[in-house]
Amino acid sequence: MAHHPTKTRILDTALHVIRSKGYTATTIDDICVASGMTKGGFFHHFNGKQDLAIAAAQHFGDMADNLVAHAPYQSIEDPLFRLLGYIDFRISILKGSLPQFTCLLGTMLQEVYETHPAIREACNQCINAHASKVASDVALAKEYYMPQASWSAEGLSYHIQAVLQGSFILAKANGGPQVAAECLQHLRHYIELLFEVPQPEENELP
Amino acid sequence: MAHHPTKTRILDTALHVIRSKGYTATTIDDICVASGMTKGGFFHHFNGKQDLAIAAAQHFGDMADNLVAHAPYQSIEDPLFRLLGYIDFRISILKGSLPQFTCLLGTMLQEVYETHPAIREACNQCINAHASKVASDVALAKEYYMPQASWSAEGLSYHIQAVLQGSFILAKANGGPQVAAECLQHLRHYIELLFEVPQPEENELP
DNA sequence: ACAATAATACCAACCAGTCGGTAGCATCAT
DNA sequence: ATGATGCTACCGACTGGTTGGTATTATTGT
């Protein structure tokens, strides 16, 4: 928190560059050029490339937490509809270029999960922290509407994260977010079915 | 098809090494050492690293298609239960080390989608080909059981692929496949709910 | 003055790709 | 048959450029 402004600028740059090129292909010089910094300055703020990755993961987590914490859907009182609001919100931010809305954590995990355990663990903690926040709404909704259900709030929350991560991969494969949005609509539908939300009538047009 | 045996050996090695370290971090020397080949030999069979990646994507697609084509669930006649058999099969192969069951296409897409369009397109085609095969069973099941439903077979098929890909990311984050299996159970449950498969009784133990 | 911060110059290791060459095998003219 | 020819598969030293990281010096804020 309350980082040095230059450090924050480097981290913001890292979020974008790493999401564009992946962790390994991102060079420290890339970050330096894109953030208007020199190598000497970079190594004053970070011990090395792996240190940057770990800090970037936490920075990304902070940014994401902040984004959802202040999203308009948070004012919904019913936890089930707040959960659905979360899904709708995640759909609504599938805009702009792919590096803008894809997940740094998923990107880095894919390449370094075996070679850089420290980065893997940092990403894992950020994902778990985010999943926990979603899980608290899931737990409230479950307790209120489906207290007997056999699935766990944590498990459903991880499923939600899996669909999000998988949607990003399909978006990257396709070059655009349309398929991703459709996948998240299926996720929304699943939650509606799980909680037995009344479905709108299938209108047969005259 | 019917590659030179040495070329096949290199490709098999590439599947494992790239899934372990990612595309960028994999060096041609890594592949050569692991496959008992020299650099000269490698460049006799491949034009370069990107050429290897594209061939490896197709090789992975062939391997995966072959795997599901001969899986036991294919003998199920009802397309809906064959579809559920597919999910169960995907759950059942979440065994061994992560590089053995994770997806090369998703791994490579995450890092190179923007920097190597040719690799992105090769991965995209393999995913689409696989999704199409699943979609044909989805379409049969839909026509038979839910012909009025508003969702499309292709869309649901992509959703299935998204959950699979996202599950692999969570498995990498966690260092094991347990969470992934739980996510795929939610996917199975979604399909059961979509098709209104009768759910087993929630037995209250005496 | 004196930290904190940033810039410059530099290095050793590494990596994709090249190049000249060899071993083995098939073809074919004589 | 046999030797000349050429083709495929393979080898391994080498190169030019890149990369993560360091050592040193300069600037800035207080």
Side-chain angles (χ1 to χ4, degrees):
Chain A
M1 289 284 183
H3 281 314
H4 194 281
T6 302
K7 192 166 184 176
T8 305
R9 201 177 71 234
I10 295 175
L11 286 172
D12 285 336
T13 306
L15 292 197
H16 187 264
V17 177
I18 297 176
R19 283 191 284 178
S20 297
K21 310 175 57 168
Y23 170 74
T24 311
T26 295
T27 70
I28 294 177
D29 278 328
D30 286 338
I31 306 279
C32 291
V33 169
S35 64
M37 175 67 33
T38 57
K39 235 169 179 184
F42 174 88
F43 275 94
H44 174 73
H45 291 287
F46 299 96
N47 290 327
K49 199 183 170 185
Q50 171 166 311
D51 186 36
L52 170 72
I54 293 169
Q58 279 149 359
H59 188 63
F60 181 82
D62 291 345
M63 188 209 69
D65 285 348
N66 199 55
L67 192 65
V68 306
H70 298 97
Y73 78 88
Q74 294 288 3
S75 63
I76 300 174
E77 289 199 6
D78 184 303
L80 171 56
F81 291 98
R82 196 161 63 241
L83 176 61
L84 293 173
Y86 169 77
I87 307 291
D88 292 336
F89 177 68
R90 297 300 304 248
I91 295 172
S92 75
I93 58 178
L94 297 174
K95 306 284 177 196
S97 70
L98 285 157
Q100 281 164 9
F101 64 78
T102 51
C103 177
L104 178 78
L105 310 173
T107 302
M108 291 205 298
L109 275 168
Q110 289 267 26
E111 358 178 16
V112 306
Y113 72 104
E114 224 185 43
T115 49
H116 296 69
I119 300 177
R120 197 217 87 224
E121 187 51 32
C123 292
N124 189 32
Q125 280 178 18
C126 291
I127 287 182
N128 286 341
H130 184 72
S132 286
K133 294 202 173 140
V134 176
S136 69
D137 274 350
V138 174
L140 288 173
K142 189 196 171 199
E143 192 174 353
Y144 199 80
Y145 290 102
M146 306 292 286
Q148 307 292 336
S150 61
W151 43 268
S152 76
E154 291 76 20
L156 180 56
S157 170
Y158 279 119
H159 176 70
I160 293 170
Q161 297 309 314
V163 181
L164 285 162
Q165 294 289 347
S167 298
F168 295 147
I169 291 184
L170 293 189
K172 288 178 176 180
N174 263 292
Q178 298 85 1
V179 184
E182 206 173 340
C183 291
L184 297 189
Q185 286 296 346
H186 275 286
L187 174 61
R188 190 189 206 283
H189 193 192
Y190 175 47
I191 294 171
E192 290 171 351
L193 291 174
L194 261 188
F195 283 94
E196 297 169 7
V197 176
Q199 297 295 304
E201 289 290 322
E202 294 275 336
N203 293 327
E204 308 261 345
L205 294 180
Chain B
M1 289 281 187
H3 280 313
H4 193 281
T6 302
K7 192 167 183 174
T8 304
R9 200 178 73 233
I10 296 174
L11 286 172
D12 285 336
T13 305
L15 292 198
H16 188 263
V17 177
I18 297 176
R19 282 191 285 180
S20 297
K21 312 175 57 168
Y23 169 73
T24 311
T26 296
T27 70
I28 293 177
D29 278 327
D30 287 337
I31 306 279
C32 291
V33 169
S35 64
M37 174 67 35
T38 58
K39 231 168 184 179
F42 174 88
F43 275 95
H44 174 74
H45 290 286
F46 299 96
N47 289 327
K49 199 182 170 184
Q50 170 167 309
D51 187 36
L52 171 71
I54 293 169
Q58 279 150 1
H59 189 63
F60 180 81
D62 291 347
M63 188 209 70
D65 284 349
N66 200 55
L67 194 65
V68 305
H70 298 97
Y73 77 88
Q74 294 289 1
S75 62
I76 301 173
E77 289 200 7
D78 184 303
L80 171 56
F81 290 97
R82 196 159 65 242
L83 177 61
L84 292 173
Y86 169 77
I87 308 290
D88 292 336
F89 177 68
R90 296 301 303 250
I91 295 172
S92 75
I93 58 178
L94 297 175
K95 305 284 177 197
S97 69
L98 285 157
Q100 280 164 10
F101 65 78
T102 52
C103 177
L104 177 78
L105 309 173
T107 302
M108 290 205 298
L109 274 168
Q110 289 268 26
E111 353 178 22
V112 305
Y113 73 104
E114 225 186 39
T115 49
H116 297 67
I119 300 177
R120 197 216 87 225
E121 186 52 31
C123 294
N124 189 32
Q125 281 178 19
C126 292
I127 289 181
N128 286 341
H130 184 73
S132 285
K133 292 199 173 141
V134 176
S136 69
D137 274 351
V138 175
L140 287 172
K142 189 197 172 200
E143 192 172 354
Y144 199 80
Y145 289 103
M146 304 293 286
Q148 307 292 338
S150 61
W151 43 268
S152 76
E154 290 78 19
L156 180 56
S157 169
Y158 278 118
H159 176 70
I160 293 170
Q161 297 310 311
V163 181
L164 284 162
Q165 294 290 346
S167 298
F168 294 147
I169 292 183
L170 293 189
K172 287 179 177 179
N174 262 293
Q178 299 84 358
V179 185
E182 206 174 341
C183 290
L184 297 189
Q185 287 295 347
H186 275 287
L187 173 62
R188 190 189 206 284
H189 193 193
Y190 175 46
I191 293 171
E192 290 170 351
L193 291 175
L194 261 189
F195 283 95
E196 297 169 7
V197 176
Q199 297 296 306
E201 288 291 321
E202 293 276 334
N203 294 325
E204 308 263 344
L205 294 179

PDB file of all heavy atoms in Angstrom, chain B residues 7-33:
ATOM      1  N   LYS B   7      10.815 -37.033 -35.627  1.00  0.00           N
ATOM      2  CA  LYS B   7       9.995 -35.826 -35.511  1.00  0.00           C
ATOM      3  C   LYS B   7       8.913 -36.024 -34.448  1.00  0.00           C
ATOM      4  O   LYS B   7       8.657 -35.145 -33.623  1.00  0.00           O
ATOM      5  CB  LYS B   7       9.364 -35.507 -36.870  1.00  0.00           C
ATOM      6  CG  LYS B   7       8.740 -34.136 -36.946  1.00  0.00           C
ATOM      7  CD  LYS B   7       8.416 -33.738 -38.384  1.00  0.00           C
ATOM      8  CE  LYS B   7       7.858 -32.327 -38.446  1.00  0.00           C
ATOM      9  NZ  LYS B   7       7.656 -31.860 -39.831  1.00  0.00           N
ATOM     10  N   THR B   8       8.292 -37.200 -34.462  1.00  0.00           N
ATOM     11  CA  THR B   8       7.275 -37.499 -33.453  1.00  0.00           C
ATOM     12  C   THR B   8       7.876 -37.469 -32.054  1.00  0.00           C
ATOM     13  O   THR B   8       7.263 -36.955 -31.121  1.00  0.00           O
ATOM     14  CB  THR B   8       6.657 -38.878 -33.731  1.00  0.00           C
ATOM     15  OG1 THR B   8       6.135 -38.897 -35.061  1.00  0.00           O
ATOM     16  CG2 THR B   8       5.542 -39.172 -32.756  1.00  0.00           C
ATOM     17  N   ARG B   9       9.106 -37.994 -31.937  1.00  0.00           N
ATOM     18  CA  ARG B   9       9.740 -37.999 -30.617  1.00  0.00           C
ATOM     19  C   ARG B   9       9.981 -36.564 -30.151  1.00  0.00           C
ATOM     20  O   ARG B   9       9.754 -36.228 -28.987  1.00  0.00           O
ATOM     21  CB  ARG B   9      11.061 -38.778 -30.693  1.00  0.00           C
ATOM     22  CG  ARG B   9      11.556 -39.263 -29.354  1.00  0.00           C
ATOM     23  CD  ARG B   9      12.840 -40.075 -29.495  1.00  0.00           C
ATOM     24  NE  ARG B   9      13.988 -39.245 -29.797  1.00  0.00           N
ATOM     25  CZ  ARG B   9      14.818 -39.447 -30.823  1.00  0.00           C
ATOM     26  NH1 ARG B   9      14.601 -40.447 -31.653  1.00  0.00           N
ATOM     27  NH2 ARG B   9      15.838 -38.646 -31.025  1.00  0.00           N
ATOM     28  N   ILE B  10      10.438 -35.722 -31.055  1.00  0.00           N
ATOM     29  CA  ILE B  10      10.643 -34.315 -30.692  1.00  0.00           C
ATOM     30  C   ILE B  10       9.324 -33.677 -30.271  1.00  0.00           C
ATOM     31  O   ILE B  10       9.251 -32.952 -29.269  1.00  0.00           O
ATOM     32  CB  ILE B  10      11.279 -33.537 -31.861  1.00  0.00           C
ATOM     33  CG1 ILE B  10      12.686 -34.077 -32.155  1.00  0.00           C
ATOM     34  CG2 ILE B  10      11.337 -32.043 -31.548  1.00  0.00           C
ATOM     35  CD1 ILE B  10      13.336 -33.461 -33.383  1.00  0.00           C
ATOM     36  N   LEU B  11       8.262 -33.956 -31.014  1.00  0.00           N
ATOM     37  CA  LEU B  11       6.962 -33.360 -30.689  1.00  0.00           C
ATOM     38  C   LEU B  11       6.457 -33.856 -29.341  1.00  0.00           C
ATOM     39  O   LEU B  11       5.938 -33.066 -28.539  1.00  0.00           O
ATOM     40  CB  LEU B  11       5.950 -33.678 -31.793  1.00  0.00           C
ATOM     41  CG  LEU B  11       6.136 -32.882 -33.089  1.00  0.00           C
ATOM     42  CD1 LEU B  11       5.221 -33.404 -34.193  1.00  0.00           C
ATOM     43  CD2 LEU B  11       5.879 -31.389 -32.844  1.00  0.00           C
ATOM     44  N   ASP B  12       6.603 -35.145 -29.081  1.00  0.00           N
ATOM     45  CA  ASP B  12       6.181 -35.661 -27.774  1.00  0.00           C
ATOM     46  C   ASP B  12       6.947 -34.963 -26.649  1.00  0.00           C
ATOM     47  O   ASP B  12       6.374 -34.595 -25.623  1.00  0.00           O
ATOM     48  CB  ASP B  12       6.422 -37.182 -27.712  1.00  0.00           C
ATOM     49  CG  ASP B  12       5.387 -37.956 -28.522  1.00  0.00           C
ATOM     50  OD1 ASP B  12       4.286 -37.416 -28.738  1.00  0.00           O
ATOM     51  OD2 ASP B  12       5.682 -39.093 -28.938  1.00  0.00           O
ATOM     52  N   THR B  13       8.235 -34.788 -26.867  1.00  0.00           N
ATOM     53  CA  THR B  13       9.035 -34.082 -25.863  1.00  0.00           C
ATOM     54  C   THR B  13       8.535 -32.655 -25.688  1.00  0.00           C
ATOM     55  O   THR B  13       8.395 -32.160 -24.565  1.00  0.00           O
ATOM     56  CB  THR B  13      10.508 -34.055 -26.287  1.00  0.00           C
ATOM     57  OG1 THR B  13      10.950 -35.384 -26.536  1.00  0.00           O
ATOM     58  CG2 THR B  13      11.369 -33.414 -25.218  1.00  0.00           C
ATOM     59  N   ALA B  14       8.251 -32.002 -26.810  1.00  0.00           N
ATOM     60  CA  ALA B  14       7.800 -30.608 -26.750  1.00  0.00           C
ATOM     61  C   ALA B  14       6.510 -30.494 -25.950  1.00  0.00           C
ATOM     62  O   ALA B  14       6.347 -29.561 -25.156  1.00  0.00           O
ATOM     63  CB  ALA B  14       7.617 -30.053 -28.157  1.00  0.00           C
ATOM     64  N   LEU B  15       5.593 -31.422 -26.128  1.00  0.00           N
ATOM     65  CA  LEU B  15       4.339 -31.385 -25.368  1.00  0.00           C
ATOM     66  C   LEU B  15       4.626 -31.292 -23.882  1.00  0.00           C
ATOM     67  O   LEU B  15       4.026 -30.489 -23.163  1.00  0.00           O
ATOM     68  CB  LEU B  15       3.508 -32.646 -25.629  1.00  0.00           C
ATOM     69  CG  LEU B  15       2.893 -32.874 -27.007  1.00  0.00           C
ATOM     70  CD1 LEU B  15       1.786 -33.909 -26.910  1.00  0.00           C
ATOM     71  CD2 LEU B  15       2.358 -31.584 -27.571  1.00  0.00           C
ATOM     72  N   HIS B  16       5.552 -32.130 -23.436  1.00  0.00           N
ATOM     73  CA  HIS B  16       5.807 -32.177 -21.993  1.00  0.00           C
ATOM     74  C   HIS B  16       6.589 -30.955 -21.522  1.00  0.00           C
ATOM     75  O   HIS B  16       6.237 -30.327 -20.521  1.00  0.00           O
ATOM     76  CB  HIS B  16       6.559 -33.457 -21.631  1.00  0.00           C
ATOM     77  CG  HIS B  16       6.691 -33.648 -20.156  1.00  0.00           C
ATOM     78  ND1 HIS B  16       7.817 -33.284 -19.461  1.00  0.00           N
ATOM     79  CD2 HIS B  16       5.818 -34.129 -19.230  1.00  0.00           C
ATOM     80  CE1 HIS B  16       7.637 -33.557 -18.179  1.00  0.00           C
ATOM     81  NE2 HIS B  16       6.436 -34.069 -18.008  1.00  0.00           N
ATOM     82  N   VAL B  17       7.627 -30.601 -22.254  1.00  0.00           N
ATOM     83  CA  VAL B  17       8.485 -29.498 -21.793  1.00  0.00           C
ATOM     84  C   VAL B  17       7.707 -28.174 -21.817  1.00  0.00           C
ATOM     85  O   VAL B  17       7.774 -27.399 -20.862  1.00  0.00           O
ATOM     86  CB  VAL B  17       9.765 -29.403 -22.645  1.00  0.00           C
ATOM     87  CG1 VAL B  17      10.607 -28.224 -22.210  1.00  0.00           C
ATOM     88  CG2 VAL B  17      10.564 -30.689 -22.536  1.00  0.00           C
ATOM     89  N   ILE B  18       6.983 -27.917 -22.892  1.00  0.00           N
ATOM     90  CA  ILE B  18       6.258 -26.639 -22.975  1.00  0.00           C
ATOM     91  C   ILE B  18       5.164 -26.579 -21.912  1.00  0.00           C
ATOM     92  O   ILE B  18       4.930 -25.528 -21.319  1.00  0.00           O
ATOM     93  CB  ILE B  18       5.671 -26.428 -24.384  1.00  0.00           C
ATOM     94  CG1 ILE B  18       6.806 -26.352 -25.413  1.00  0.00           C
ATOM     95  CG2 ILE B  18       4.828 -25.159 -24.439  1.00  0.00           C
ATOM     96  CD1 ILE B  18       6.332 -26.232 -26.852  1.00  0.00           C
ATOM     97  N   ARG B  19       4.507 -27.711 -21.654  1.00  0.00           N
ATOM     98  CA  ARG B  19       3.493 -27.674 -20.602  1.00  0.00           C
ATOM     99  C   ARG B  19       4.124 -27.472 -19.225  1.00  0.00           C
ATOM    100  O   ARG B  19       3.459 -27.009 -18.294  1.00  0.00           O
ATOM    101  CB  ARG B  19       2.662 -28.971 -20.625  1.00  0.00           C
ATOM    102  CG  ARG B  19       1.621 -28.958 -21.741  1.00  0.00           C
ATOM    103  CD  ARG B  19       0.652 -30.089 -21.605  1.00  0.00           C
ATOM    104  NE  ARG B  19       1.232 -31.372 -22.007  1.00  0.00           N
ATOM    105  CZ  ARG B  19       0.582 -32.525 -21.979  1.00  0.00           C
ATOM    106  NH1 ARG B  19      -0.670 -32.573 -21.545  1.00  0.00           N
ATOM    107  NH2 ARG B  19       1.169 -33.637 -22.372  1.00  0.00           N
ATOM    108  N   SER B  20       5.376 -27.828 -19.075  1.00  0.00           N
ATOM    109  CA  SER B  20       6.042 -27.626 -17.786  1.00  0.00           C
ATOM    110  C   SER B  20       6.537 -26.201 -17.605  1.00  0.00           C
ATOM    111  O   SER B  20       6.378 -25.605 -16.542  1.00  0.00           O
ATOM    112  CB  SER B  20       7.245 -28.569 -17.651  1.00  0.00           C
ATOM    113  OG  SER B  20       6.833 -29.906 -17.664  1.00  0.00           O
ATOM    114  N   LYS B  21       7.155 -25.636 -18.643  1.00  0.00           N
ATOM    115  CA  LYS B  21       7.846 -24.362 -18.496  1.00  0.00           C
ATOM    116  C   LYS B  21       7.220 -23.221 -19.275  1.00  0.00           C
ATOM    117  O   LYS B  21       7.668 -22.082 -19.161  1.00  0.00           O
ATOM    118  CB  LYS B  21       9.303 -24.509 -18.972  1.00  0.00           C
ATOM    119  CG  LYS B  21      10.032 -25.707 -18.416  1.00  0.00           C
ATOM    120  CD  LYS B  21      11.423 -25.864 -19.001  1.00  0.00           C
ATOM    121  CE  LYS B  21      12.281 -24.647 -18.785  1.00  0.00           C
ATOM    122  NZ  LYS B  21      13.711 -24.901 -19.094  1.00  0.00           N
ATOM    123  N   GLY B  22       6.214 -23.521 -20.070  1.00  0.00           N
ATOM    124  CA  GLY B  22       5.674 -22.487 -20.947  1.00  0.00           C
ATOM    125  C   GLY B  22       6.469 -22.410 -22.235  1.00  0.00           C
ATOM    126  O   GLY B  22       7.584 -22.934 -22.328  1.00  0.00           O
ATOM    127  N   TYR B  23       5.897 -21.728 -23.222  1.00  0.00           N
ATOM    128  CA  TYR B  23       6.530 -21.677 -24.548  1.00  0.00           C
ATOM    129  C   TYR B  23       7.808 -20.844 -24.528  1.00  0.00           C
ATOM    130  O   TYR B  23       8.864 -21.299 -24.969  1.00  0.00           O
ATOM    131  CB  TYR B  23       5.550 -21.091 -25.566  1.00  0.00           C
ATOM    132  CG  TYR B  23       6.191 -20.762 -26.900  1.00  0.00           C
ATOM    133  CD1 TYR B  23       6.553 -21.771 -27.783  1.00  0.00           C
ATOM    134  CD2 TYR B  23       6.450 -19.446 -27.269  1.00  0.00           C
ATOM    135  CE1 TYR B  23       7.141 -21.478 -28.996  1.00  0.00           C
ATOM    136  CE2 TYR B  23       7.035 -19.141 -28.485  1.00  0.00           C
ATOM    137  CZ  TYR B  23       7.387 -20.157 -29.347  1.00  0.00           C
ATOM    138  OH  TYR B  23       7.975 -19.858 -30.546  1.00  0.00           O
ATOM    139  N   THR B  24       7.745 -19.640 -24.015  1.00  0.00           N
ATOM    140  CA  THR B  24       8.895 -18.740 -24.108  1.00  0.00           C
ATOM    141  C   THR B  24      10.089 -19.282 -23.328  1.00  0.00           C
ATOM    142  O   THR B  24      11.225 -19.203 -23.791  1.00  0.00           O
ATOM    143  CB  THR B  24       8.518 -17.346 -23.597  1.00  0.00           C
ATOM    144  OG1 THR B  24       7.295 -16.946 -24.217  1.00  0.00           O
ATOM    145  CG2 THR B  24       9.598 -16.342 -23.934  1.00  0.00           C
ATOM    146  N   ALA B  25       9.819 -19.812 -22.145  1.00  0.00           N
ATOM    147  CA  ALA B  25      10.917 -20.288 -21.305  1.00  0.00           C
ATOM    148  C   ALA B  25      11.515 -21.589 -21.827  1.00  0.00           C
ATOM    149  O   ALA B  25      12.602 -21.980 -21.402  1.00  0.00           O
ATOM    150  CB  ALA B  25      10.437 -20.475 -19.871  1.00  0.00           C
ATOM    151  N   THR B  26      10.817 -22.264 -22.715  1.00  0.00           N
ATOM    152  CA  THR B  26      11.365 -23.490 -23.288  1.00  0.00           C
ATOM    153  C   THR B  26      12.401 -23.135 -24.347  1.00  0.00           C
ATOM    154  O   THR B  26      12.118 -22.397 -25.283  1.00  0.00           O
ATOM    155  CB  THR B  26      10.241 -24.329 -23.931  1.00  0.00           C
ATOM    156  OG1 THR B  26       9.333 -24.739 -22.925  1.00  0.00           O
ATOM    157  CG2 THR B  26      10.819 -25.558 -24.613  1.00  0.00           C
ATOM    158  N   THR B  27      13.620 -23.650 -24.180  1.00  0.00           N
ATOM    159  CA  THR B  27      14.641 -23.387 -25.195  1.00  0.00           C
ATOM    160  C   THR B  27      14.736 -24.590 -26.129  1.00  0.00           C
ATOM    161  O   THR B  27      14.373 -25.715 -25.764  1.00  0.00           O
ATOM    162  CB  THR B  27      16.011 -23.141 -24.543  1.00  0.00           C
ATOM    163  OG1 THR B  27      16.491 -24.373 -23.989  1.00  0.00           O
ATOM    164  CG2 THR B  27      15.918 -22.086 -23.465  1.00  0.00           C
ATOM    165  N   ILE B  28      15.223 -24.327 -27.311  1.00  0.00           N
ATOM    166  CA  ILE B  28      15.403 -25.412 -28.271  1.00  0.00           C
ATOM    167  C   ILE B  28      16.382 -26.439 -27.708  1.00  0.00           C
ATOM    168  O   ILE B  28      16.225 -27.639 -27.925  1.00  0.00           O
ATOM    169  CB  ILE B  28      15.856 -24.837 -29.626  1.00  0.00           C
ATOM    170  CG1 ILE B  28      14.711 -24.005 -30.221  1.00  0.00           C
ATOM    171  CG2 ILE B  28      16.269 -25.933 -30.588  1.00  0.00           C
ATOM    172  CD1 ILE B  28      15.051 -23.318 -31.511  1.00  0.00           C
ATOM    173  N   ASP B  29      17.351 -25.952 -26.955  1.00  0.00           N
ATOM    174  CA  ASP B  29      18.280 -26.895 -26.313  1.00  0.00           C
ATOM    175  C   ASP B  29      17.552 -27.796 -25.321  1.00  0.00           C
ATOM    176  O   ASP B  29      17.868 -28.987 -25.217  1.00  0.00           O
ATOM    177  CB  ASP B  29      19.412 -26.136 -25.607  1.00  0.00           C
ATOM    178  CG  ASP B  29      20.517 -25.734 -26.581  1.00  0.00           C
ATOM    179  OD1 ASP B  29      20.758 -26.488 -27.534  1.00  0.00           O
ATOM    180  OD2 ASP B  29      21.122 -24.665 -26.386  1.00  0.00           O
ATOM    181  N   ASP B  30      16.590 -27.234 -24.575  1.00  0.00           N
ATOM    182  CA  ASP B  30      15.788 -28.069 -23.674  1.00  0.00           C
ATOM    183  C   ASP B  30      15.188 -29.239 -24.440  1.00  0.00           C
ATOM    184  O   ASP B  30      15.261 -30.398 -24.009  1.00  0.00           O
ATOM    185  CB  ASP B  30      14.642 -27.253 -23.065  1.00  0.00           C
ATOM    186  CG  ASP B  30      15.116 -26.272 -22.007  1.00  0.00           C
ATOM    187  OD1 ASP B  30      16.196 -26.489 -21.439  1.00  0.00           O
ATOM    188  OD2 ASP B  30      14.407 -25.279 -21.765  1.00  0.00           O
ATOM    189  N   ILE B  31      14.541 -28.900 -25.547  1.00  0.00           N
ATOM    190  CA  ILE B  31      13.887 -29.936 -26.357  1.00  0.00           C
ATOM    191  C   ILE B  31      14.920 -30.945 -26.863  1.00  0.00           C
ATOM    192  O   ILE B  31      14.691 -32.158 -26.833  1.00  0.00           O
ATOM    193  CB  ILE B  31      13.167 -29.283 -27.559  1.00  0.00           C
ATOM    194  CG1 ILE B  31      12.202 -28.193 -27.081  1.00  0.00           C
ATOM    195  CG2 ILE B  31      12.456 -30.338 -28.395  1.00  0.00           C
ATOM    196  CD1 ILE B  31      10.904 -28.656 -26.599  1.00  0.00           C
ATOM    197  N   CYS B  32      16.059 -30.434 -27.317  1.00  0.00           N
ATOM    198  CA  CYS B  32      17.081 -31.330 -27.869  1.00  0.00           C
ATOM    199  C   CYS B  32      17.601 -32.289 -26.806  1.00  0.00           C
ATOM    200  O   CYS B  32      17.678 -33.498 -27.029  1.00  0.00           O
ATOM    201  CB  CYS B  32      18.234 -30.508 -28.453  1.00  0.00           C
ATOM    202  SG  CYS B  32      17.774 -29.586 -29.932  1.00  0.00           S
ATOM    203  N   VAL B  33      17.946 -31.747 -25.643  1.00  0.00           N
ATOM    204  CA  VAL B  33      18.467 -32.605 -24.581  1.00  0.00           C
ATOM    205  C   VAL B  33      17.419 -33.639 -24.181  1.00  0.00           C
ATOM    206  O   VAL B  33      17.705 -34.844 -24.101  1.00  0.00           O
ATOM    207  CB  VAL B  33      18.890 -31.755 -23.367  1.00  0.00           C
ATOM    208  CG1 VAL B  33      19.182 -32.637 -22.166  1.00  0.00           C
ATOM    209  CG2 VAL B  33      20.110 -30.911 -23.721  1.00  0.00           C
TER     210      VAL B  33
END
